[in-house]
Amino acid sequence: MTNMTAFQQQCYRVVTDSNLSPKQKSNNLALLAENHLPYVELDLETKHALEQRVICDMYEGHAPYKPRYVLPDYQLYLKQGSVWLELEPANDFDDALNMLTIIYHHVPSVTGMPVYLGRLDELLLPYVGSLTENELYARLKRFWIMLDRNLPDAFMHANIGPSDNIICRLLLRIDRELKQVAPNLTFFYDEKITPESLLTVAIACICETGKPHIANYNLIAKDFDKMGFGVVSCYNSLPVAGGGSTLSRINLKEVALRSEDRHDFLTNMLPYYCRLQLNLIKERSQFLYEKSNFFTNSFLVNEGLIKPERFAPMFGIFAMAEAVNILQEKAHLSGRYGQDEQADLLALEISQQLADFVNQHTVTYGWRNKAMLHAQSGISIDHGLTPGVRIPYGEEPDPVSHIMSVFVHHKYYSSGISDILTIDETIKNNQAALLKICLAAFELGMREFTANISGNDLVRVTGYMVRLSDIAKFKQQGSRTNTTVLGSEAASDSSGFLHRQPRVISHEQNMGHS
Amino acid sequence: MNKTWAIVNKILPFSCVDGPGNRLVIFLQGCNFHCLNCHNPYTIQLCQNCGQCVGNCPNLALSFDKGKTVWQSEQCKQCDTCIQICPNQSSPMTYRYSVEEMLTVIRKYLPFLNGITFSGGEATLQLPFIQQLFAQIKSTADLKHLTCFIDSNGYLPRQGWQKVIPLMDGAMIDLKAWDNHVHKYLTGRDNQRVKDSINYLAARNQLYEVRLLLIPEQTDLLFNVAKIAEFLNLLPHKPRIRINAFHSHGVTGNAKNWHSATQRDVENFATQLSKYGLNKLTLPAVYLT
Ligand code: SF4
Ligand code: SF4
């Protein structure tokens, strides 16, 4: 025991951890092994910035061998079957469900589980045939239970809507009945297609489970092409038949600390770290595309379910609130982000500049040869750092003022941004109020509308759902659900995540052992 | 001459408990009841401009100018020192709004709003302002879809209601006790006018909600369920009934030591009311006990 190398000791800690399941252990061991390899080659400045964590690689691993998020074209798969999986095209509803169940196990991602389950209503509607509502209900309910039990990861994400259809309505009903953590659910709302009666059902579900999260379909669709997009994991919008190759993020607080003042931040420091982050992204995707052989031997590529050129690297940022507050202090201004007009204007200027940077720089391996800007919603090790461009925990104003001070950022973050509104439980007696503010948020230009109703057992901690009761249980007995581990980390954070305002971080892997 | 401005304690752009949908709630300063259980006692009196709070503001947000206490909201850190000091149970932190200024605020939040609600304090003490604002809303193309509500203690006489009824969409009235002497003990005023208001508004289909506040050992509502039910059942258009649970957080004086109403108290009261056929009941979503 005492003779073990540091690496062996790390592995040993994972192997003997009393709270991790065998599967969680093997994921952690794989990551340790990967991180035993040398890091992809970086120039000195980028390396330095990464070591100082001004830029962060999300602990994706030293040698990326799979894309972070994969969004297969499941429609094509059901239509053509799969040679590699030895499956005929789907003939009926049971075929379709069975085929999806199979392929989910072969869709890689940073979590080792699929983060995207497809637009389920659109996928399944062609196979409804003569099945009655009751027959569909029974099948979908079993399917939903299977997803939660077999793929227990709350980053796994299903999409439904915007059309009013029987599958969409049944899934909302089943999700509300089962109150499972997984899968996460995004409902696409399109003002031209979605009837208010359906949105009302979705709002009623939110009041009970915090799900679904509602996406402003038309607004997001503008940033994508005809093949469309999916919302996956923690509010990432990405091209279907593609995905997100890698995600790095800039810690804006660290950039602000290194800046003399606002001018230095905007003209020197931010552009400098943007360039370094772009280097990091380029090197990491180059390894994925050129060395790892992922795109040369995957059946997903060979059968046309994903296309290498439809993957975008995600250019993330976080801790906008801290950065703005630091720059305000450096200018001897007291106004804080989310509460003061001047501070909010500075934040907006930063978002604009970031968007310009990303648009002006090409990357070899990127959808449309670009990276995509992303307001990253945090990981459990972020202490005292606010996700994305959100207003810090406990400082949020009422939901209407909240929306009015953040919506201006939404148009810049084409691969996703999220603000979580915490709404008092009294809303349950007056759901029309929630409906109204959701519609108003979309009218103003919010990409996504996510509400936590305080007091529910099932709450959104960051981008994903956890049960408060599970968190209480976890410390004694471990948890069946991967992300409850992460939720419990977040919950025990000294800033008191769950005690103040239910909160979101996206935590795609267990940081505890990496 | 009609008053064209209002003394406002605060404005909230989000409320889901003051009428249907999301509402902008305008809390007017000043009240003609003195409820022992008041959760915002500093909204009861208008500022007398006595100046006592001015020197005590740690953030220099208060000053004295031409015999008036002036509050600068940008300097204020909401520490509430002034409220604690004020010998008149008032607050220097109020705003004056003209009808035009109020319309500007409403337009700022317009996409979010199903309507507006005047609350207080006691909103109806500034009835002329309310009338003018409602009249403007109802006659302006981009605003007329907004519903206009008043949340009141019900003390306004019939002649007052007559003036606003043509302009409003509904009222919420508190019935704080059934017996007059209990009501007088709790609020300092008789409750006959409150009952009259309930009858009058209901007869005109303008009574959106009756609110019953349960205070264990202090109010008599529980002992008068049959009478309350009979009274409410006789109303021509049945209002919603909201049961509120008293909690001592934020109150002053003796009421600090009163017992909070528990979920059991509320549910017991609700069960009894429903035995008499009252069914449009709203119970608290959370209990702060
Ligand atoms: S609350 Fe009153 S005492 Fe405190 S800063 Fe504001 S004005 Fe001054
Ligand atoms: S708020 Fe109170 S203490 Fe201050 S000036 Fe007005 S009445 Fe006097």
Side-chain angles (χ1 to χ4, degrees), chain B residues 57-59 61-62 71 76-82 93:
Chain B
C57 171
N59 300 299
L62 298 172
W71 171 60
C76 175
K77 293 255 162 70
Q78 316 286 335
C79 71
D80 289 356
T81 310
C82 50
M93 299 181 282

Side-chain angles (χ1 to χ4, degrees), chain A residues 191-209:
Chain A
E191 70 272 16
K192 292 196 207 82
I193 294 172
T194 315
E196 192 165 300
S197 69
L198 182 58
L199 184 61
T200 304
V201 172
I203 293 279
C205 294
I206 291 177
C207 286
E208 217 165 299
T209 66

